[in-house]
Each structure stands twice: as C-alpha cells, then as structure tokens.
Amino acid sequence: MTLKIYNTKTRQKEVFQPLVADQVKMYVCGPTVYNLVHIGNARPVVVFDTLFRLLQTQFKDVTYARNITDIDDKIMRAAAEQGIEISELASTFAAEFENDMAQLNNLAPSITPYATDHLPEMIAMIERLIEKGHAYASEGHVLFAVKSMADYGKLSNRTLDDMLDGARVEVASYKKYAADFVLWKPSADHEPGWASPWGRGRPGWHLECSAMIKKHLGETIDIHGGGRDLIFPHHENEVAQSCCANDADEYVRYWMHNGYINIGGEKMSKSLGNFRTVRDLLKLFKGEVIRFALLSAQYRSEMDFSAELLEESRSSLDSLYGALRDSASVSPDYSVSISEEPAYLALLDDLSTPIAIRELHQLAKSLNKADAVDKPRIKATLLKLAGIMGLLGSDAEEWFTTNASEDGIAAADIEALILERTQAKKDRNFARSDEIRDNLLAEGVVLEDSREGTQWRRQS
C-alpha cells in the first residue's frame, strides 16, 4: 500500500507521489522564538516528525526542513522588555525549543534554517516581485499586490471580497489595496533592521518561509505542513510570493495542516490564558507520555488536551512497556516485515495514529500470550511499528523505575524496601509487609507481585 494524505489544496485524500522519484522534500513552519513553546506548538512537530519517520520507510531520500523565526515584532517587544538584544533572546528560546522537542522524542530535522540568515534571499525575492509587477514600494514599505495574481486565495478558498468582508480597520496610507500584505517594512532607529534598496528595515513574516524554501528545497516542494491556523494568511501569502516570483505554476504539491488543541473546550491561546507550556508539562509527565497523547487523535482533528488525557496516555504506555518488560529475555527478530501490518497500513492512510495505537495494543496482547517461537517476531513487529511513531524507545525496566521529575524516593531505596517486604512475608509479618506496600504507594510507587517476584513502577 502507498501513502495517502489529505491535501488541503484539493480538499481530498490523495495518493502521495513525490515530484522526483524516491526523493521527498518537506517543509514545516517552526516557532517564533520569544518564549517557551506551548503544547499547541508541539503538535505539528510531533505530527510531522511521525510523517518524517514514515516517509523514510517508503523513500530513499527524505529532506525535512523546519525553520526558526528569529526576527518578529513579538521577539522585539520581549527583548526590549528584558533589556537584551533580539539575537540573545531568540537564540536562548530556540535552544529551549529544541530541548523541549527532543524530550518528546522528536528527531532533528534535516535542515533548520534561521530567518536572519536569509536576508539576501528575501531581498532578492522582493526585487523579482517588483520587476514582475507583483509588488510595489511605498513610504519605506514594500507590499505584495494581491490583485496582480489572478487566483490569489485558492489555497484557503477565499475571494478578495471574503477577505475584506466585515473589516473595520482603517487601511494604511501606504497600501494601494486593503488586502495587500507587507514584504518589507521600515525599522525605527531603536529597532533591529537591515539595509535594503528601500531603506533600513526588516522582512514581513510571510516572506521568510518562501525564501528559505527556495534556497534549501527548490521552487516546488512535495509537502508543506503546519497548523490549520496558518492556512490564511500565512500559507496563502507564501503561495502568492513564491509562484509569482518564480513564475511557477505550483509551489507545494501537498499541503497538510493539523487541527487545533483545545483546553476545556476552547481553542488554546495566550490571550485566553489557557495555554500550557511543554516545559511545565514535562515536570509532571515523561515526554513520551505527552507525545502519545498528541498522537492519540488523528492529526487533522481538533483535540481536547487535559490531565485526564495524559493519565490515560501514561496508563496506555505502561501496558505496552509491561509487555516488553515481561519479554525482556526475548531477542527481537528484526528481519520481520511490517509492510502488511494493520498498524503500518493505518499510518499510510493519512497518519491514522489512533488506529495504529490500537493495533500496538493488539500486538502487546499477542506478545504476552505467544510461545517462545513467535515472541521474537511479535516483539520486533511491535518495536518497529512503535518506532515509526517515536514510541517505546526506552528501556522497559527504566520506564517503570524512573520518574518525570527528579523528586521522589530513590530506586535503590525502593529495592531495599522490596527486599525487606519479601523477608517480612517469609517471616509471616504481614503487617510490616502491608506497611511497606502502603508507604511506597504513598510515594507514588506501585508494587506488582507475581510468581516470578515483585516488580515496581512509578505512577508518573
């Protein structure tokens, strides 16, 4: 079976075929680095990291670029408030972003372009747009003339009238038409800026991705991803800039957009005060639990993120890791093929991760029941499929014996108490045995007795 993905451009699921056989070029919009990222920022990273892993099982050469926006008005305001240079603020939070995403088991992209490293490419693209009659300079600004592009709005399926309908904002004096958008804007003396043919200034947000994609991936790419909120205006404007500057009929072959994350039924946003940073969540839950939670819903759907979802995800991972711990002595037979496995077929069907997760649990159950002959094959199948989703990469014993935070009773102390409890049971001192069990439970440590002995796990 071949990969099928829902293409925002055509509004239907399509068989994926790269522009060049066996080569895939994918770009995903990264963060604007002025603060710690929230869980909504993490969803596209996890989604497209999973797609990156899946593509690598199907194609020989997969290039994945995810940018860092390190020049933006939000960054400028935050840097001014802290009394530091924007470069210092941006580099700090870019590093924090990479650290948080690594904690969620995300692979590093093939390329991580920074906006400020691409000013010459942006200026060159603006110059081409002006030469071709698609942009104009006005009062230190350069704007894209949306009326110069016959099918502007095709990605978001909006007409110019739709875009302006209900608008009550006064049109800036430097605009010829209200919907024209900024490619370059002037910087005041106290603001960061770069020299350009139109004066000292800085690029518009939309321009950055178009310039970086052209430099690193080419004029036409296979997949462009991001959150649904980027379809308009950001991705719509990317299409306009790139197609018009490059005289190209096609900028992106397959557009993919993930759904929103809601908190308490409302779209998460800083303005509502209902956002949760990944850093805060990592103090309470392991990164793999957070990743599992984000994959528990199909990527295009909206999802309600909650503590209950994270607890369910932790419990689900405990079950999967439990099967691996019980088969710790089994060496996986990695020669097994997964091409016809239901979980793999589900992933090929527009990243149907909820179905794939369900199939992982079926494999775990089969592993628990299998005989010595079948266990190596089933274990390898489980691990290979989970690996595509960035799951089950930890040592099973460590999964149960390490905590999300550094707090809590030490593993050596737990083991000592278990030995004391075992001796107490042999001495028929059941009161002491129960006391140890209850004290450990109060510390968040669960004991599991079996004929093979006592195993333990932390609850978070």
Side-chain angles (χ1 to χ4, degrees):
M1 183 176 174
T2 55
L3 173 64
K4 293 182 180 178
I5 56 180
Y6 182 88
N7 191 348
T8 304
K9 180 168 61 175
T10 61
R11 292 164 185 79
Q12 63 183 4
K13 199 183 294 186
E14 300 177 352
V15 173
F16 174 70
Q17 294 180 323
L19 184 64
V20 178
D22 222 17
Q23 294 183 17
V24 180
K25 295 181 179 180
M26 178 172 73
Y27 182 93
V28 175
C29 289
T32 300
V33 284
Y34 66 99
N35 206 334
L36 294 173
V37 295
H38 57 65
I39 193 64
N41 303 131
R43 191 180 193 188
V45 178
V46 169
V47 165
F48 292 104
D49 174 74
T50 303
L51 180 61
F52 180 39
R53 293 166 183 261
L54 181 63
L55 288 167
Q56 290 176 313
T57 70
Q58 293 249 310
F59 302 96
K60 183 178 180 180
D61 182 10
V62 182
T63 303
Y64 168 29
R66 185 183 67 220
N67 76 297
I68 295 289
T69 294
D70 59 343
I71 175 64
D72 180 88
D73 288 354
K74 294 177 182 177
I75 299 175
M76 290 164 52
R77 284 195 294 270
E81 290 170 1
Q82 298 179 37
I84 60 177
E85 296 293 326
I86 63 164
S87 57
E88 180 182 350
L89 181 87
S91 62
T92 295
F93 284 111
E96 298 290 3
F97 166 76
E98 299 293 353
N99 179 60
D100 285 349
M101 294 305 99
Q103 293 297 310
L104 303 191
N105 293 351
N106 292 297
L107 302 174
S110 314
I111 306 168
T112 304
Y114 280 63
T116 54
D117 292 334
H118 297 78
L119 270 299
E121 290 81 7
M122 295 182 208
I123 290 171
M125 181 168 280
I126 294 173
E127 289 176 328
R128 284 193 297 274
L129 288 169
I130 292 175
E131 291 170 4
K132 295 175 183 296
H134 294 293
Y136 59 93
S138 176
E139 299 179 28
H141 295 75
V142 182
L143 297 105
F144 184 91
V146 296
K147 286 187 173 181
S148 72
M149 185 179 186
D151 55 357
Y152 179 76
K154 63 182 177 182
L155 178 63
S156 59
N157 198 28
R158 300 184 183 204
T159 65
L160 290 177
D161 288 341
D162 292 335
M163 296 174 198
L164 299 179
D165 186 37
R168 295 291 184 268
V169 180
E170 182 179 352
V171 178
S173 61
Y174 50 80
K175 286 189 176 186
K176 292 182 179 179
Y177 180 67
D180 292 348
F181 61 88
V182 172
L183 299 171
W184 189 266
K185 54 187 173 183
S187 292
D189 292 341
H190 68 281
E191 294 176 328
W194 290 263
S196 81
W198 315 284
R200 182 175 175 276
R202 57 192 188 274
W205 172 44
H206 312 303
L207 182 67
E208 298 172 7
C209 292
S210 287
M212 289 186 281
I213 284 175
K214 181 172 183 179
K215 178 175 180 178
H216 296 287
L217 301 178
E219 294 186 356
T220 302
I221 65 172
D222 297 299
I223 298 171
H224 194 319
R228 186 184 301 167
D229 56 319
L230 298 181
I231 297 175
F232 183 87
H234 184 50
H235 289 163
E236 190 71 72
N237 292 347
E238 275 191 58
V239 173
Q241 295 160 166
S242 294
C243 287
C244 292
N246 302 329
D247 289 329
D249 293 330
E250 190 170 46
Y251 169 48
V252 174
R253 293 166 58 78
Y254 302 86
W255 285 94
M256 298 179 69
H257 294 94
N258 61 274
Y260 299 124
I261 283 183
N262 299 321
I263 302 290
E266 291 186 295
K267 179 180 178 293
M268 187 177 60
S269 70
K270 291 187 177 180
S271 61
L272 291 175
N274 64 348
F275 66 97
R276 300 290 182 272
T277 67
V278 173
R279 184 65 52 82
D280 285 342
L281 290 171
L282 284 168
K283 296 175 183 176
L284 303 172
F285 296 92
K286 295 177 181 177
E288 190 170 338
V289 172
I290 300 171
R291 183 185 185 95
F292 190 99
L294 290 170
L295 293 175
S296 65
Q298 209 275 344
Y299 77 94
R300 286 189 288 115
S301 65
E302 293 188 13
M303 69 180 304
D304 202 32
F305 205 82
S306 63
E308 290 76 17
L309 173 62
L310 288 165
E311 291 290 354
E312 290 169 5
S313 298
R314 180 194 56 76
S315 178
S316 193
L317 281 167
D318 282 352
S319 177
L320 295 173
Y321 272 112
L324 293 176
R325 182 168 67 172
D326 291 342
S327 64
S329 62
V330 177
S331 296
D333 177 11
Y334 285 114
S335 67
V336 66
S337 172
I338 60 169
S339 61
E340 297 300 322
E341 287 292 327
Y344 186 64
L345 298 179
L347 292 173
L348 290 176
D349 185 15
D350 197 33
L351 288 183
S352 296
T353 52
I355 296 175
I357 287 171
R358 184 187 69 197
E359 295 299 331
L360 293 187
H361 282 287
Q362 291 299 319
L363 284 166
K365 290 178 182 178
S366 297
L367 180 60
N368 288 331
K369 297 177 181 178
D371 57 28
V373 174
D374 289 334
K375 277 184 180 291
R377 175 185 57 82
I378 297 173
K379 185 175 182 179
T381 301
L382 174 60
L383 289 171
K384 289 176 77 171
L385 290 166
I388 298 174
M389 290 185 276
L391 303 173
L392 302 187
S394 300
D395 176 81
E397 189 63 32
E398 289 182 2
W399 173 262
F400 290 106
T401 57
T402 57
N403 207 338
S405 69
E406 297 180 358
D407 299 331
I409 185 171
D413 294 334
I414 296 171
E415 295 287 354
L417 286 169
I418 289 174
L419 287 174
E420 182 185 344
R421 178 173 176 264
T422 300
Q423 187 60 49
K425 290 171 72 175
K426 289 180 179 178
D427 295 340
R428 304 186 66 79
N429 186 354
F430 299 116
R432 177 55 180 158
S433 171
D434 291 345
E435 181 184 27
I436 292 172
R437 180 199 62 205
D438 293 342
N439 287 345
L440 286 173
L441 185 60
E443 292 280 353
V445 177
V446 178
L447 302 184
E448 297 173 341
D449 294 320
S450 68
R451 284 179 292 181
E452 287 75 28
T454 300
Q455 293 179 320
W456 61 276
R457 62 179 174 83
R458 297 189 191 269
Q459 288 184 301
S460 62

CSV table of all heavy atoms in Angstrom, one decimal, residues 287-309:
chain,number,residue,atom,x,y,z
A,287,GLY,N,8.2,12.8,28.6
A,287,GLY,CA,8.0,13.3,27.2
A,287,GLY,C,7.2,12.4,26.3
A,287,GLY,O,6.4,12.8,25.5
A,288,GLU,N,7.5,11.1,26.5
A,288,GLU,CA,6.8,10.1,25.7
A,288,GLU,C,5.3,10.0,26.0
A,288,GLU,O,4.5,9.8,25.1
A,288,GLU,CB,7.4,8.7,25.9
A,288,GLU,CG,7.0,7.7,24.9
A,288,GLU,CD,7.7,6.4,24.9
A,288,GLU,OE1,8.9,6.4,25.4
A,288,GLU,OE2,7.2,5.4,24.4
A,289,VAL,N,4.9,10.3,27.2
A,289,VAL,CA,3.5,10.4,27.5
A,289,VAL,C,2.8,11.5,26.8
A,289,VAL,O,1.7,11.4,26.2
A,289,VAL,CB,3.3,10.5,29.1
A,289,VAL,CG1,1.9,10.8,29.4
A,289,VAL,CG2,3.8,9.3,29.8
A,290,ILE,N,3.5,12.7,26.8
A,290,ILE,CA,3.0,13.8,26.1
A,290,ILE,C,2.9,13.5,24.6
A,290,ILE,O,1.9,13.9,23.9
A,290,ILE,CB,3.8,15.1,26.3
A,290,ILE,CG1,3.9,15.4,27.8
A,290,ILE,CG2,3.3,16.3,25.5
A,290,ILE,CD1,4.9,16.5,28.2
A,291,ARG,N,3.9,12.9,24.0
A,291,ARG,CA,3.9,12.6,22.6
A,291,ARG,C,2.7,11.6,22.3
A,291,ARG,O,2.0,11.8,21.3
A,291,ARG,CB,5.2,11.9,22.2
A,291,ARG,CG,5.3,11.6,20.7
A,291,ARG,CD,6.5,10.8,20.3
A,291,ARG,NE,6.6,10.6,18.9
A,291,ARG,CZ,7.2,11.4,18.1
A,291,ARG,NH1,7.9,12.4,18.5
A,291,ARG,NH2,7.2,11.1,16.8
A,292,PHE,N,2.6,10.6,23.1
A,292,PHE,CA,1.5,9.6,23.0
A,292,PHE,C,0.1,10.3,23.0
A,292,PHE,O,-0.7,10.0,22.1
A,292,PHE,CB,1.6,8.6,24.1
A,292,PHE,CG,0.7,7.4,23.9
A,292,PHE,CD1,1.2,6.2,23.4
A,292,PHE,CD2,-0.7,7.4,24.2
A,292,PHE,CE1,0.3,5.1,23.2
A,292,PHE,CE2,-1.5,6.4,24.0
A,292,PHE,CZ,-1.0,5.2,23.5
A,293,ALA,N,0.0,11.3,23.9
A,293,ALA,CA,-1.3,12.0,24.0
A,293,ALA,C,-1.6,12.8,22.7
A,293,ALA,O,-2.7,12.8,22.2
A,293,ALA,CB,-1.3,13.0,25.2
A,294,LEU,N,-0.5,13.4,22.1
A,294,LEU,CA,-0.7,14.2,20.9
A,294,LEU,C,-1.0,13.3,19.7
A,294,LEU,O,-1.7,13.7,18.8
A,294,LEU,CB,0.5,15.0,20.6
A,294,LEU,CG,0.8,16.1,21.6
A,294,LEU,CD1,2.2,16.7,21.4
A,294,LEU,CD2,-0.3,17.2,21.4
A,295,LEU,N,-0.6,12.0,19.8
A,295,LEU,CA,-0.9,11.1,18.7
A,295,LEU,C,-2.1,10.3,18.9
A,295,LEU,O,-2.6,9.5,18.0
A,295,LEU,CB,0.3,10.1,18.5
A,295,LEU,CG,1.6,10.7,18.1
A,295,LEU,CD1,2.7,9.6,18.1
A,295,LEU,CD2,1.5,11.3,16.7
A,296,SER,N,-2.8,10.5,20.0
A,296,SER,CA,-4.0,9.7,20.3
A,296,SER,C,-5.2,10.1,19.5
A,296,SER,O,-6.2,9.4,19.4
A,296,SER,CB,-4.3,9.8,21.8
A,296,SER,OG,-4.7,11.1,22.2
A,297,ALA,N,-5.1,11.3,18.9
A,297,ALA,CA,-6.2,11.8,17.9
A,297,ALA,C,-5.6,11.9,16.5
A,297,ALA,O,-4.4,12.2,16.4
A,297,ALA,CB,-6.7,13.1,18.4
A,298,GLN,N,-6.4,11.7,15.5
A,298,GLN,CA,-5.9,11.9,14.2
A,298,GLN,C,-5.5,13.3,14.0
A,298,GLN,O,-6.2,14.2,14.4
A,298,GLN,CB,-7.1,11.5,13.2
A,298,GLN,CG,-6.6,11.0,11.8
A,298,GLN,CD,-6.2,12.1,10.8
A,298,GLN,OE1,-6.7,13.2,11.0
A,298,GLN,NE2,-5.5,11.7,9.8
A,299,TYR,N,-4.4,13.6,13.3
A,299,TYR,CA,-3.8,14.9,13.3
A,299,TYR,C,-4.7,16.0,12.8
A,299,TYR,O,-4.5,17.2,13.2
A,299,TYR,CB,-2.5,14.9,12.5
A,299,TYR,CG,-2.6,14.9,11.0
A,299,TYR,CD1,-2.6,16.1,10.3
A,299,TYR,CD2,-2.8,13.7,10.3
A,299,TYR,CE1,-2.7,16.1,8.9
A,299,TYR,CE2,-3.0,13.7,8.9
A,299,TYR,CZ,-2.9,14.9,8.2
A,299,TYR,OH,-3.1,14.9,6.9
A,300,ARG,N,-5.6,15.7,11.9
A,300,ARG,CA,-6.5,16.8,11.3
A,300,ARG,C,-7.6,17.2,12.2
A,300,ARG,O,-8.2,18.2,12.0
A,300,ARG,CB,-7.0,16.4,10.0
A,300,ARG,CG,-6.0,16.4,8.9
A,300,ARG,CD,-6.6,16.1,7.5
A,300,ARG,NE,-7.1,14.8,7.3
A,300,ARG,CZ,-8.3,14.4,7.1
A,300,ARG,NH1,-9.3,15.3,7.2
A,300,ARG,NH2,-8.6,13.1,6.9
A,301,SER,N,-7.9,16.4,13.2
A,301,SER,CA,-9.0,16.6,14.1
A,301,SER,C,-8.6,17.6,15.2
A,301,SER,O,-7.4,17.7,15.6
A,301,SER,CB,-9.5,15.3,14.7
A,301,SER,OG,-8.5,14.8,15.6
A,302,GLU,N,-9.5,18.3,15.8
A,302,GLU,CA,-9.3,19.1,17.0
A,302,GLU,C,-9.2,18.1,18.2
A,302,GLU,O,-9.8,17.0,18.1
A,302,GLU,CB,-10.4,20.1,17.2
A,302,GLU,CG,-10.4,21.2,16.2
A,302,GLU,CD,-11.4,22.3,16.6
A,302,GLU,OE1,-11.9,22.4,17.7
A,302,GLU,OE2,-11.7,23.1,15.7
A,303,MET,N,-8.4,18.5,19.1
A,303,MET,CA,-8.3,17.6,20.3
A,303,MET,C,-8.4,18.4,21.6
A,303,MET,O,-7.9,19.5,21.7
A,303,MET,CB,-7.0,16.7,20.3
A,303,MET,CG,-5.7,17.4,20.4
A,303,MET,SD,-4.3,16.3,20.4
A,303,MET,CE,-4.7,15.1,21.6
A,304,ASP,N,-9.0,17.8,22.6
A,304,ASP,CA,-9.1,18.4,23.9
A,304,ASP,C,-8.0,17.9,24.8
A,304,ASP,O,-8.0,16.7,25.0
A,304,ASP,CB,-10.5,18.2,24.5
A,304,ASP,CG,-10.9,19.2,25.6
A,304,ASP,OD1,-10.5,20.3,25.4
A,304,ASP,OD2,-11.6,18.8,26.5
A,305,PHE,N,-7.1,18.8,25.1
A,305,PHE,CA,-5.9,18.4,25.9
A,305,PHE,C,-6.2,18.6,27.4
A,305,PHE,O,-6.6,19.6,27.8
A,305,PHE,CB,-4.7,19.2,25.5
A,305,PHE,CG,-3.4,18.5,25.7
A,305,PHE,CD1,-2.9,17.6,24.8
A,305,PHE,CD2,-2.7,18.8,26.9
A,305,PHE,CE1,-1.7,16.9,25.1
A,305,PHE,CE2,-1.4,18.2,27.1
A,305,PHE,CZ,-1.0,17.2,26.2
A,306,SER,N,-5.9,17.5,28.2
A,306,SER,CA,-6.3,17.6,29.6
A,306,SER,C,-5.4,16.7,30.4
A,306,SER,O,-4.7,15.8,29.9
A,306,SER,CB,-7.7,17.2,29.8
A,306,SER,OG,-7.9,15.8,29.4
A,307,ALA,N,-5.4,16.9,31.7
A,307,ALA,CA,-4.7,16.0,32.6
A,307,ALA,C,-5.2,14.5,32.5
A,307,ALA,O,-4.4,13.6,32.6
A,307,ALA,CB,-4.8,16.5,34.1
A,308,GLU,N,-6.5,14.4,32.3
A,308,GLU,CA,-7.1,13.1,32.1
A,308,GLU,C,-6.5,12.4,30.9
A,308,GLU,O,-6.2,11.2,30.9
A,308,GLU,CB,-8.6,13.2,32.0
A,308,GLU,CG,-9.3,13.6,33.3
A,308,GLU,CD,-9.2,15.1,33.6
A,308,GLU,OE1,-8.8,15.8,32.7
A,308,GLU,OE2,-9.4,15.5,34.8
A,309,LEU,N,-6.4,13.1,29.8
A,309,LEU,CA,-5.8,12.5,28.6
A,309,LEU,C,-4.4,12.1,28.9
A,309,LEU,O,-3.9,11.0,28.4
A,309,LEU,CB,-5.8,13.5,27.5
A,309,LEU,CG,-5.1,13.1,26.2
A,309,LEU,CD1,-5.8,11.9,25.6
A,309,LEU,CD2,-5.1,14.3,25.2
